[in-house]
Amino acid sequence: MKLKFQFTLAFMLSVLSLICFSGMAILISGSKIVAFDQSIISLIQGLETPGLTTIMKFFTFIGSTPSVAVISLFSLFFLYKVLKHRTELILFIAIIVGSPILNELLKLLFHRARPDFHRLIEINGYSFPSGHAMSAFAVYGVLSFLLWRHIPTRWGRTLLIVISIIMILAIGISRIYLGVHYPSDVIGGYFASGCWLAIAIWFYQRYQEKKFEQRRPTQSKE
């Protein structure tokens, strides 16, 4: 029953994320989200201070490809050696590797130029959706999913979710603060990665359900 619920939930979340991403893509294609982007950019960049800039550069570094690679390698080692995960490693690798590939394909599809005003760092490439936002959602989302059942206490699970949410939001906001992404790029990145994450978990849960059903006849005979 638990597997069936998780299976259904993952499917529903993937559909919801896809619908939300599609809606954001339509708004961007029609230039109907300019006022929203500008208002959020003004709000976030209006908080600029030397200290906050240092913090935002740190979070952007944490969300960069080299940092994600290091975090992923450490996570793989932890999942394999400490928690003795096996099939979960395939899910983790699929999500982490698939996220940047999907990001590049979407950027080539939409060809959205980056903001060209008040940049605090320089970066090339297209803007929509944010690669940092997608990677952050993928990494901390899948880690939350995999570590949840190994944390016995409610406060521990709550801490896991809070830390994941803080990291995802901080990395996304840092891209807006530093002037290299529109808010809609970051939101679109969250939705795109959420869809990919939910689809991957859906397939994983379906595989787990089939394994459970295959073992059940054997267990009932015993």
Side-chain angles (χ1 to χ4, degrees), residues 22 114 127 187 217 221:
S22 300
R114 293 183 184 272
S127 188
I187 296 172
K221 288 178 181 179

Side-chain angles (χ1 to χ4, degrees), residues 115-206:
D116 58 358
F117 48 89
H118 195 58
R119 286 193 191 180
L120 299 180
I121 60 174
E122 287 301 323
I123 189 171
N124 299 318
Y126 296 116
S127 188
F128 180 83
S130 167
H132 275 63
M134 287 189 65
S135 292
F137 201 100
V139 170
Y140 296 102
V142 70
L143 283 177
S144 295
F145 173 77
L146 293 176
L147 296 177
W148 176 272
R149 66 188 179 89
H150 292 279
I151 301 176
T153 61
R154 180 177 296 181
W155 72 264
R157 291 179 173 181
T158 301
L159 183 62
L160 172 67
I161 298 302
V162 169
I163 291 174
S164 296
I165 291 174
I166 289 174
M167 293 302 297
I168 291 170
L169 291 178
I171 291 171
I173 291 172
S174 74
R175 305 303 283 171
I176 303 170
Y177 179 93
L178 296 172
V180 293
H181 276 296
Y182 295 102
S184 52
D185 296 333
V186 174
I187 296 172
Y190 290 154
F191 285 139
S193 190
C195 182
W196 168 242
L197 179 67
I199 288 174
I201 291 175
W202 182 81
F203 277 105
Y204 172 76
Q205 292 300 105
R206 185 171 184 176

Side-chain angles (χ1 to χ4, degrees), residues 1-198:
M1 181 63 68
K2 188 176 179 180
L3 280 174
K4 286 183 179 295
F5 171 76
Q6 293 176 348
F7 179 74
T8 303
L9 180 62
F11 176 77
M12 291 175 62
L13 288 176
S14 66
V15 172
L16 179 61
S17 297
L18 179 59
I19 291 172
C20 292
F21 177 81
S22 300
M24 185 65 68
I26 291 171
L27 291 174
I28 288 172
S29 300
S31 301
K32 297 178 181 179
I33 205 166
V34 175
F36 168 79
D37 279 335
Q38 290 178 342
S39 63
I40 300 299
I41 289 173
S42 297
L43 176 63
I44 293 177
Q45 291 190 339
L47 302 173
E48 182 182 341
T49 64
L52 187 56
T53 298
T54 300
I55 293 172
M56 291 301 172
K57 285 183 178 180
F58 168 76
F59 278 113
T60 272
F61 172 74
I62 291 297
S64 65
T65 300
S67 296
V68 169
V70 172
I71 293 171
S72 298
L73 289 174
F74 175 80
S75 300
L76 284 171
F77 176 82
F78 181 79
L79 291 170
Y80 183 79
K81 288 292 186 179
V82 179
L83 300 183
K84 308 300 181 182
H85 283 206
R86 295 297 184 271
T87 57
E88 291 89 341
L89 296 180
I90 299 175
L91 173 66
F92 182 87
I93 293 171
I95 290 174
I96 299 304
V97 173
S99 180
I101 294 175
L102 177 62
N103 179 256
E104 286 300 317
L105 292 174
L106 291 173
K107 283 186 174 183
L108 291 173
L109 176 64
F110 290 99
H111 281 76
R112 191 186 197 190
R114 293 183 184 272
D116 58 358
F117 48 89
H118 195 58
R119 286 193 191 180
L120 299 180
I121 60 174
E122 287 301 323
I123 189 171
N124 299 318
Y126 296 116
S127 188
F128 180 83
S130 167
H132 275 63
M134 287 189 65
S135 292
F137 201 100
V139 170
Y140 296 102
V142 70
L143 283 177
S144 295
F145 173 77
L146 293 176
L147 296 177
W148 176 272
R149 66 188 179 89
H150 292 279
I151 301 176
T153 61
R154 180 177 296 181
W155 72 264
R157 291 179 173 181
T158 301
L159 183 62
L160 172 67
I161 298 302
V162 169
I163 291 174
S164 296
I165 291 174
I166 289 174
M167 293 302 297
I168 291 170
L169 291 178
I171 291 171
I173 291 172
S174 74
R175 305 303 283 171
I176 303 170
Y177 179 93
L178 296 172
V180 293
H181 276 296
Y182 295 102
S184 52
D185 296 333
V186 174
I187 296 172
Y190 290 154
F191 285 139
S193 190
C195 182
W196 168 242
L197 179 67

